[in-house]
Amino acid sequence: MMSRKSRKKPRKLKETGIWIVLMFFFISELFLYTWSRVQCVGIGYEISKAANRQKELVALQNNLNLELASLKSPARIAEIAKTRFGLKMPTSEQMIIIP
């Protein structure tokens, strides 16, 4: 009888060890999968924020280009030259034509 018990213990211990190893791998895989999904979702949020920021910057650039065009307007420059600096259009005697 002693020999039967001694045979069952190592077998039972071996089965328990195999189950522990299998559970360890299963739980490790579960944690790895969960971590990777969390990382994917986080990166998705970052991409979304970056895309929104890009849209905002493109809109700002368009507004600045429009403002630059209005500031470079010849009519605006002529008005500033007349009012701020007291300039006026040259007369025909003041003009020199270069051939």
Side-chain angles (χ1 to χ4, degrees):
M1 279 232 180
M2 207 55 143
S3 62
R4 280 188 183 174
K5 284 186 179 180
S6 63
R7 285 184 200 167
K8 286 186 178 182
K9 273 191 177 180
R11 185 175 178 208
K12 187 88 166 169
L13 188 62
K14 189 175 181 181
E15 286 178 6
T16 305
I18 290 172
W19 277 108
I20 289 173
V21 169
L22 287 175
M23 291 305 289
F24 172 75
F25 282 125
F26 177 73
I27 291 171
S28 297
E29 182 182 343
L30 186 65
F31 279 127
L32 184 64
Y33 176 76
T34 304
W35 176 79
S36 66
R37 293 300 302 160
V38 168
Q39 292 298 316
C40 287
V41 169
I43 290 172
Y45 284 136
E46 287 180 29
I47 290 171
S48 177
K49 284 180 186 178
N52 288 339
R53 180 70 178 146
Q54 181 187 14
K55 287 178 185 177
E56 290 172 3
L57 291 175
V58 166
L60 178 63
Q61 182 181 22
N62 290 339
N63 289 340
L64 290 174
N65 285 336
L66 184 63
E67 185 178 351
L68 178 64
S70 69
L71 291 175
K72 290 170 86 174
S73 165
R76 180 182 171 276
I77 294 173
E79 182 64 31
I80 291 173
K82 287 178 188 175
T83 56
R84 274 195 208 163
F85 302 116
L87 299 177
K88 53 187 171 185
M89 292 298 289
T91 62
S92 59
E93 293 102 27
Q94 294 173 326
M95 285 196 262
I96 301 173
I97 298 175
I98 300 175

